[in-house]
Amino acid sequence: MKADIAIIGAGSSGAAAACLLAQKGYQVVLLERRNQENAGARWINDVPPWMFEYAGIEMPEPPEKVVDFAPFVLRTQNGKGRVYIDQRPMWGIDMRLLIKRLHQKAEKLGVTLIDQCQITDVIIKNNRPIQIALKRNDFLGKSQQMTYKANLFVDASGVTQALLRKVPALDAICPQLPPQSYIHASQGVFEIIDRAGAKNYLETLGEQTGTFICFPAIEGGYSTLMLYINPNFDHVDILTGVVNDGHHGTGETLIHTFRKAQAWIGDRILGGSARIPLHRPYNQFVTEGAALIGDAACHVFPAHGSGVGSGMIAARMLTDAISQYDDPGRLEALWQYQARFQKDRGAVHAAYHVFSTMIQSMSEDDVKKLIEKGLMTKENIISSLNQQLPVPGIESILSMLVGSASAPFIAFKFLTQFPKLAAASVLFSYYPDKAEGLSNHSWKMISSLME
Ligand SMILES: Cc1cc2nc3c(=O)[nH]c(=O)nc-3n(C[C@H](O)[C@H](O)[C@H](O)COP(=O)(O)OP(=O)(O)OC[C@H]3O[C@@H](n4cnc5c(N)ncnc54)[C@H](O)[C@@H]3O)c2cc1C
C-alpha cells in the first residue's frame, strides 16, 4: 500500500498532524499500536488555549474542556511560602475527548487510521526510509502483515520512538536520554467519599475549592504534587511528577502516599501514568524522508513536562513547511520545519531546561526558600504556566532583590541561571536555516553549554 505520509502514533501530536496534513490534500495513513479508543494520553491535561490557536486546532469546548481559567497557588506544605495567581493561563482538557475529536476529523478528511499495529521493519534506501512493514492483530488475535510506502514517515509515537530507533540516520542524531532526563508522572480524578473530610483538609491549608494547589519539591528536587477539588466537592484531581533518577518514587507512589493520608479520597474515576522526557528538543529531529513530532522529539516544556500544546504546534509547523515542496520528505522542506520550531519554541524550551535542571539539583529546603523569600514570583510562574519566557516587571525584580538579601546563597544559585536563560533564547534564534549550517558544529558546541 502507498500513502504520501505515514504517521506512527495516534496520540495528540500524531492525530493533530494527520488532520492538518489531510487538510492540505495529502494522503495520510495514521498507524497506532493500541486500540484507537486508547491512543495517546487518557487523562486530564492542562494546556494554554493560545497553543490550540497557534496550531490551527479548533478550541476545545465542554465537555472536552473540563476546567476554565482557575485560581492557582504554589505553596510550601506549611504555607509559609505561598504565591497566589487568580487565573492560571491554562484550561483543563479531557485528552480522551480531544483525541477522539481529532481522530473523527482525520477520518472525515480521508485519513486511513489503522490501530493495533506494530512496525516490524523499515526499508531504507540511500539513507532514506521508503517503506515500513507492519504486523496487525485483528480482534480474533489473527495476525496480518502489511507494508506501506510513503514519501514521508512521521514518528509521533511518544517516548517509544518507534520509527526513530529503526532509522539509522535519525538514531545517530537523537541519542537515547539518560533515565534522569525523564519524569514519571501520574494523574487521576478521584471520587470524594467524605465531603466534610475534604472541606477540613482545605481549611487546614487555608485554601479554597476550585483552586489548583501545587506543592513543589514535595520529595526534594523535581517532585511535584498538585491537586484540584472541584467547587461541588464531587471529585479531586491529583497530578504528580517525579524525576526518574532512582532516588525518588514514581508519580504513582506519590499519589498512593497522599491518598493513604487522606481518607476522604475514594476510587479513581479516570487517569494514568507515563514517562515524559524533561529535556529540550533534540538539536536535530529530521532527516531525509523522516521527521519527529511531540514527545518523540522531546517537544515538551521542561518546567512542567507539558507536551500537548508543543506537539500540536510541531504538527502545524511541519505541515506549513512541507506544503511548499513537491516532495514532503525532502530534507530541505523538513529542515524548514525544524528551524522554525527551534527558533520559536526551541528557545523557550532550552531556557526552561536550564531552570528545571537547576531545580532537580535542589533539596526540598532550597525550593521552600525560593518560594518563601519571594524569588519565585507571580510573573515568573504565570510565564512558566503559559509556556513563555519570563519578562520580569518591576514588582518581580524588587521581590527578587529583597529575597536575595535575605537568602544570598540560594539567590546566587537561582539568579545566576538567568544569563543562561537569556543566552539560550538568543542561541536558538540563530538556529541554522540550512543543513550545512550545522556541519561546522559551532551551534551544537554552544548549545551543549545549555545542558
Ligand atoms: C500523568 C501525566 C500528566 C500530564 N499532564 C500534562 C499536562 O497537564 N499538560 C501537557 O501539555 N502535557 C501533560 N503531559 C504530557 C502529555 O501527556 C504528553 O506530552 C503528550 O501526550 C504527548 O503526545 P504525543 O502524541 O507526542 O505522544 P503520546 O501521547 O505518547 O502518543 C503516542 C502514541 O503512539 C503510540 N505508539 C507507541 N509506539 C507505537 C508503535 N510502535 N506503533 C504505533 N503506535 C505507537 C502510542 O500507543 C500512543 O497512542 C502529562 C503526561 C502524563 C504522563
Side-chain angles (χ1 to χ4, degrees), residues 239-409:
L239 171 70
T240 53
V242 187
V243 72
N244 196 23
D245 62 0
H247 302 304
H248 302 86
T250 61
E252 205 50 47
T253 54
L254 266 191
I255 289 195
H256 180 73
T257 312
F258 183 72
R259 279 184 71 194
K260 245 173 93 179
Q262 308 298 334
W264 49 272
I265 303 178
D267 288 340
R268 195 176 213 148
I269 304 165
L270 66 99
S273 305
R275 277 185 313 146
I276 315 173
L278 208 61
H279 198 274
R280 65 181 169 81
Y282 286 122
N283 285 345
Q284 268 176 274
F285 43 82
V286 303
T287 55
E288 187 95 14
L292 312 179
I293 58 170
D295 279 19
C298 303
H299 289 160
V300 175
F301 187 72
H304 38 78
S306 294
V308 176
S310 301
M312 294 189 306
I313 287 174
R316 168 69 192 272
M317 291 181 176
L318 173 68
T319 307
D320 287 351
I322 63 172
S323 53
Q324 314 289 323
Y325 293 80
D326 290 340
D327 172 4
R330 191 166 149 189
L331 182 60
E332 206 182 324
L334 298 173
W335 200 278
Q336 294 294 315
Y337 148 59
Q338 177 176 262
R340 184 170 165 207
F341 191 91
Q342 296 286 28
K343 286 181 187 193
D344 185 340
R345 300 308 301 157
V348 184
H349 287 211
Y352 278 96
H353 180 203
V354 170
F355 177 75
S356 73
T357 309
M358 177 203 64
I359 293 285
Q360 276 183 33
S361 71
M362 286 186 158
S363 67
E364 190 179 346
D365 272 354
D366 288 346
V367 180
K368 265 189 205 157
K369 274 193 198 127
L370 280 181
I371 304 174
E372 284 171 8
K373 303 294 177 189
L375 290 160
M376 274 203 196
T377 66
K378 202 167 154 174
E379 273 172 350
N380 291 348
I381 295 168
I382 293 175
S383 305
S384 159
L385 294 173
N386 206 21
Q387 303 185 31
Q388 302 284 13
L389 283 174
V391 187
I394 288 292
E395 204 184 313
S396 273
I397 293 170
L398 282 177
S399 170
M400 287 193 276
L401 284 175
V402 173
S404 307
S406 60
F409 177 69

Side-chain angles (χ1 to χ4, degrees), residues 155-221:
D155 190 343
S157 67
V159 289
T160 317
Q161 301 183 322
L163 177 79
L164 148 53
R165 298 293 162 217
K166 286 189 160 59
V167 175
L170 274 178
D171 194 38
I173 53 174
C174 303
Q176 298 265 14
L177 299 178
Q180 66 274 19
S181 291
Y182 291 90
I183 49 169
H184 189 278
S186 293
Q187 202 271 343
V189 177
F190 298 87
E191 251 185 284
I192 292 180
I193 49 172
D194 168 14
R195 288 181 181 196
K199 274 185 190 153
N200 187 38
Y201 173 74
L202 282 182
E203 270 166 29
T204 317
L205 289 178
E207 304 294 354
Q208 304 288 321
T209 53
T211 302
F212 285 85
I213 306 166
C214 182
F215 301 103
I218 194 156
E219 287 203 346

Side-chain angles (χ1 to χ4, degrees), residues 9 12-13 32-34 40 43 45-46 157 162 276 295 306-308:
S12 44
S13 309
E32 170 56 44
R33 183 178 59 172
R34 303 185 205 147
W43 43 84
N45 278 353
D46 299 317
S157 67
I276 315 173
D295 279 19
S306 294
V308 176

